[in-house]
Amino acid sequence: MNRKKSEAISATKYYKNFFLLFSVILIMLLFFEIALRLAYPLYSNYNTEMWRYAKEIKALSSNPLIAHEHKPNAVSFLYGTEIKTNSIGWRDYGYDVTTDKYRIMILGDSITLGWGVDFNYTFPKILERLLRENNPNIEVINTGVGNYNSEMEVNSFLEKGSRYNPDMVVLAYYINYAEITHKNPNAIVYLLQKSYTYSFFSDKVINLKINLFKQNQFKNFYSALYEKDFEGRIHAKKAIDLLAEYAKKNNIPLYIVIIPEMHSFDPYPFQEVTDFVMQAASKNNIAAIDLLPYFKGNEPRTLWVSPEDAHPNAFGQIIIAKGIYQNIFKENPIFASNT
């Protein structure tokens, strides 16, 4: 047997073995994927439910400043409650572009969305009921989308929400709004992220990081977002400026309500975040309302949707709604009449 023939046989054997190994791994992954799908209720948790929310309710946005958005008319049962979107992708009733009602639009993230909370106990709907006790001609629209930051919220509002001609806009500001808007993944990565296998191992990696860096992890992470030259902080400020410019141009009231981080209310470890928002609001001559005083006196974990998840539960949502009502609407004659 000559050398060339021997090399050709060796190469063929190598590729056969490689193909066999690849096929075995692929079959194992396929069976693992099927097993995970069947066993999902047994191991599901906050991380995996958030992944399923992204998989079943969200879609990529063509606007890079928005990155992702809700699918229209989507529905799924997630983290103990139904998440259902209307024709524009909001977790709310369907709305016509024009209306004779006084329209208040709430911009926010998963807290505004009401993650883990029934629809009627989201703070926009609680606020709507409070207002309608005196004036039935009011509607409060919930535009919250999970994992949004200020840049994403404002650009989504300008692209979609502004078409609904709100009479007032309220930006529900949370501490993570200075996070950087991530670029959408390429097609292959996007497809891989749809798999249960990806979700399973992603959850393990996240929990490993939490256990390795548990002490003061969230404090250090959030504080870093508000360092002076951090890109996300700069974008958050620009987003507030842009929203203020829209409100001024269209002669509509704009308010920012600051929802506190839910791990400690007294002492509160993120005063620099509140100061940042207050300063950004002041420079634009808009009102900012700190809701922290309404949360003090409560044990934070009693207001969580679950022991592993610090999103506000129904009681926390009520506190937010009442804080907004007390500061913006209670003494305003427009909202105390029966016109």
Side-chain angles (χ1 to χ4, degrees):
M1 185 182 296
N2 61 44
R3 184 178 176 183
K4 288 186 177 180
K5 189 173 182 179
S6 177
E7 289 177 348
I9 292 172
S10 296
T12 302
K13 186 177 180 180
Y14 171 81
Y15 286 118
K16 282 184 178 179
N17 289 338
F18 177 81
F19 179 76
L20 180 62
L21 178 62
F22 179 79
S23 299
V24 170
I25 292 173
L26 196 62
I27 292 170
M28 289 176 64
L29 287 173
L30 179 61
F31 276 107
F32 193 62
E33 178 77 10
I34 293 170
L36 287 175
R37 288 171 181 259
L38 293 173
Y40 182 79
L42 300 177
Y43 70 87
S44 63
N45 58 17
Y46 167 74
N47 292 326
T48 54
E49 285 290 86
M50 270 291 184
W51 164 81
R52 200 159 63 89
Y53 163 54
K55 175 177 174 287
E56 297 177 10
I57 302 294
K58 291 180 182 178
L60 299 181
S61 172
S62 59
N63 186 339
L65 297 177
I66 299 175
H68 64 263
E69 57 197 0
H70 283 162
K71 300 173 186 176
N73 302 312
V75 59
S76 186
F77 193 82
L78 298 163
Y79 216 63
T81 192
E82 182 185 69
I83 302 290
K84 184 178 182 180
T85 65
N86 61 18
S87 61
I88 198 170
W90 298 330
R91 191 191 184 192
D92 212 326
Y93 305 115
Y95 294 97
D96 294 327
V97 172
T98 58
T99 181
D100 60 352
K101 295 183 181 293
Y102 189 94
R103 178 168 282 172
I104 302 163
M105 189 164 284
I106 312 289
L107 315 186
D109 63 354
S110 53
I111 293 178
T112 301
L113 169 78
W115 176 253
V117 177
D118 289 345
F119 171 70
N120 286 321
Y121 285 95
T122 60
F123 78 80
K125 292 299 110 181
I126 298 170
L127 178 62
E128 185 176 71
R129 291 195 294 274
L130 287 172
L131 293 170
R132 285 183 173 179
E133 289 178 2
N134 295 315
N135 188 340
N137 199 40
I138 292 172
E139 58 189 16
V140 180
I141 301 180
N142 182 348
T143 71
V145 177
N147 305 112
Y148 265 19
N149 59 27
S150 295
E151 181 178 51
M152 299 160 79
E153 288 163 4
V154 171
N155 281 282
S156 179
F157 168 74
L158 295 175
E159 187 174 293
K160 295 191 296 184
S162 61
R163 301 202 305 262
Y164 286 76
N165 302 305
D167 298 288
M168 176 187 291
V169 174
V170 177
L171 173 62
Y173 195 97
Y174 192 61
I175 193 170
N176 63 343
Y177 283 12
E179 289 182 353
I180 295 173
T181 304
H182 294 290
K183 294 180 180 178
N184 286 328
N186 61 45
I188 294 175
V189 173
Y190 182 67
L191 287 174
L192 289 174
Q193 289 176 346
K194 295 287 186 179
S195 74
Y196 280 68
T197 303
Y198 168 87
S199 167
F200 181 82
F201 286 107
S202 175
D203 171 58
K204 303 309 174 190
V205 171
I206 291 171
N207 286 328
L208 179 62
K209 288 180 179 178
I210 290 173
N211 290 328
L212 288 175
F213 305 104
K214 196 167 186 178
Q215 188 174 8
N216 293 324
Q217 184 198 33
F218 79 95
K219 172 69 169 68
N220 295 335
F221 172 78
Y222 284 137
S223 294
L225 297 181
Y226 289 87
E227 292 179 358
K228 186 176 180 181
D229 296 324
F230 182 67
E231 181 183 354
R233 180 184 185 274
I234 294 170
H235 289 171
K237 172 62 169 58
K238 288 182 178 178
I240 292 172
D241 294 345
L242 187 60
L243 187 60
E245 181 182 340
Y246 171 89
K248 183 177 180 180
K249 181 179 178 181
N250 291 275
N251 195 30
I252 61 172
L254 168 64
Y255 294 89
I256 302 178
V257 294
I258 307 167
I259 300 171
E261 202 284 326
M262 300 288 292
H263 280 82
S264 175
F265 302 137
D266 193 8
Y268 186 62
F270 299 108
Q271 185 59 42
E272 73 270 23
V273 179
T274 303
D275 293 341
F276 163 78
V277 180
M278 290 290 188
Q279 290 168 11
S282 177
K283 288 180 179 178
N284 284 288
N285 296 313
I286 55 179
I289 299 154
D290 181 11
L291 296 183
L292 176 61
Y294 295 88
F295 283 85
K296 285 186 174 181
N298 291 283
E299 167 57 38
R301 289 181 179 272
T302 65
L303 303 178
W304 293 10
V305 293
S306 79
E308 65 171 350
D309 185 356
H311 280 84
N313 59 20
F315 297 107
Q317 295 276 335
I318 289 170
I319 292 172
I320 295 170
K322 288 186 174 179
I324 295 173
Y325 179 79
Q326 291 283 340
N327 281 274
I328 300 176
F329 301 105
K330 187 176 181 181
E331 305 300 326
N332 193 322
I334 296 176
F335 304 102
S337 64
N338 289 305
T339 58

